[in-house]
Amino acid sequence: MIYQEIQEKIKKIAKSKNAVILAHNYQRPEIQDIADFVGDSLHLSRCASKTDADIILFCGVSFMAETAKILAPSKKVLLPRYEAGCPMAMMITKSELQKLKDNHPDAVVVAYVNTTAEIKAMADVCCTSSNALKVVKGIKERKIIFVPDKNLADYCKRRTPEKEFIIYDGYCYVHNQITYKQLKNTKDKYPAARVLAHPECPFEALQLADEILSTEKMVEYVEKSEYNEFIIATEPGIIHRLKKNAPSKKFITVENCQICKTMKMTTIEDVYNAIVEEKYEITLEPDIIKKACSSLDKMLKYI
Ligand code: SF4
């Protein structure tokens, strides 16, 4: 209730400006509560590509707002907190990817959507954690350069032995620190709980999962499941949405699980300032938009 006044103001102004508010599953609860759409990268990318709003107010991190701009270049795309970036997306540079491409000219480049617009523009196809395996399976060439998440790449590699992977050494610090031991301790405490783990977690931790799912698929799974207790091995922000969708079920975070600092940087006041002052607008070079859009368009076929 403490946010009610500012939330109502934001919704009113957004409506008057024909703005749509998109919020990632890891955003603060009070922001998720005012969003028109809450979801993972794939879901929000699709919302951005289909919206008829004039303004897209993207509550998430910068690569997500860039993705919205690439898919809806005629719209004004706003990121409420300028410095909210994804550390994993910043791990790979254009020159590092160019070196990999030069060393493996016969490989297809798959870029996880958690990359900058420049990296997407250099890739052949993008993927999200929801559709990474489908994207990889859909590639007819044998050799794949997968950037930047080594854990998601490893998850795909183990399921497609017919492919040869060149894996970049990037990772999400939140998921990469979910260890086998932490997850095992949590499981021992709650033996009846189903373990739902995100594929950005390391292979050892994934061994303890009952299901390996993107955040969007976790929401779907919990809704349909006959189980009542779940250990959620991903950034804890998703638990707000899970609780809203299934209030009678119990959700447990992994022992000592970190939160994503940049996802939590955006406050409700930032969202208010963003919609009032129409900041911070995402701008990209037309050539980057064109090339990155081609990689994203190919990805959107693999839903
Ligand atoms: S949770 Fe991980 S992948 Fe997502 S924005 Fe934070 S650092 Fe990046």
Side-chain angles (χ1 to χ4, degrees), residues 26 61 86-88 114 172-175 200 235 260 262-263:
Y26 301 156
V61 289
C86 165
M88 169 157 64
N114 299 36
C172 160
Y173 72 96
V174 176
H175 291 94
E200 283 177 22
E235 210 275 353
C260 176
T262 46
M263 273 286 181

Side-chain angles (χ1 to χ4, degrees), residues 241-252:
R241 187 167 165 215
L242 290 168
K243 274 188 186 158
K244 266 175 102 169
N245 283 16
S248 63
K249 299 194 176 184
K250 184 173 176 182
F251 303 100
I252 301 134

Side-chain angles (χ1 to χ4, degrees), residues 152-190:
L152 184 61
D154 180 65
Y155 167 80
C156 293
K157 182 183 168 183
R158 289 174 189 275
R159 285 155 183 80
T160 52
E162 70 281 10
K163 304 280 186 201
E164 182 187 340
F165 274 72
I166 293 100
I167 296 177
Y168 190 76
D169 191 26
Y171 56 87
C172 160
Y173 72 96
V174 176
H175 291 94
N176 200 47
Q177 287 183 11
I178 296 178
T179 62
Y180 180 91
K181 189 165 179 282
Q182 281 169 269
L183 196 47
K184 177 81 171 57
N185 289 348
T186 317
K187 218 175 142 134
D188 289 346
K189 259 195 216 162
Y190 301 93

Side-chain angles (χ1 to χ4, degrees), residues 4-135:
Q4 197 178 357
E5 196 181 328
I6 193 165
Q7 285 172 321
E8 277 167 12
K9 279 186 191 166
I10 293 167
K11 282 200 272 186
K12 204 169 153 198
I13 301 168
K15 199 173 172 205
S16 72
K17 294 190 174 192
N18 191 26
V20 65
I21 302 176
L22 308 183
H24 190 269
N25 287 322
Y26 301 156
Q27 287 286 288
R28 292 169 186 258
E30 61 273 19
I31 293 176
Q32 293 191 29
D33 289 345
I34 51 152
D36 297 294
F37 299 98
V38 180
D40 68 359
S41 301
L42 181 59
H43 178 64
L44 297 178
S45 300
R46 291 171 71 203
C47 292
S49 70
K50 286 182 189 156
T51 185
D52 55 9
D54 296 314
I55 297 175
I56 299 172
L57 179 55
F58 208 118
C59 305
V61 289
S62 54
F63 79 79
M64 297 176 177
E66 282 186 354
T67 302
K69 182 70 186 173
I70 294 161
L71 293 171
S74 63
K75 313 281 180 193
K76 190 177 226 184
V77 179
L78 306 174
L79 180 71
R81 193 70 185 247
Y82 181 74
E83 64 277 43
C86 165
M88 169 157 64
M90 304 315 290
M91 282 179 183
I92 182 156
T93 63
K94 276 164 61 180
S95 62
E96 282 163 332
L97 179 53
Q98 192 55 56
K99 208 185 284 172
L100 286 174
K101 287 175 73 153
D102 291 344
N103 288 342
H104 307 278
D106 52 338
V108 172
V109 178
V110 179
Y112 191 23
V113 75
N114 299 36
T115 44
T116 61
E118 281 83 6
I119 295 295
K120 288 183 180 77
M122 292 172 73
D124 295 298
V125 58
C126 289
C127 71
T128 70
S129 52
S130 288
N131 66 6
L133 193 54
K134 278 189 194 166
V135 169

Side-chain angles (χ1 to χ4, degrees), residues 134-147:
K134 278 189 194 166
V135 169
V136 164
K137 284 182 175 170
I139 292 168
K140 60 178 188 322
E141 287 82 351
R142 203 176 92 80
K143 208 168 173 184
I144 290 172
I145 297 171
F146 196 109
V147 298

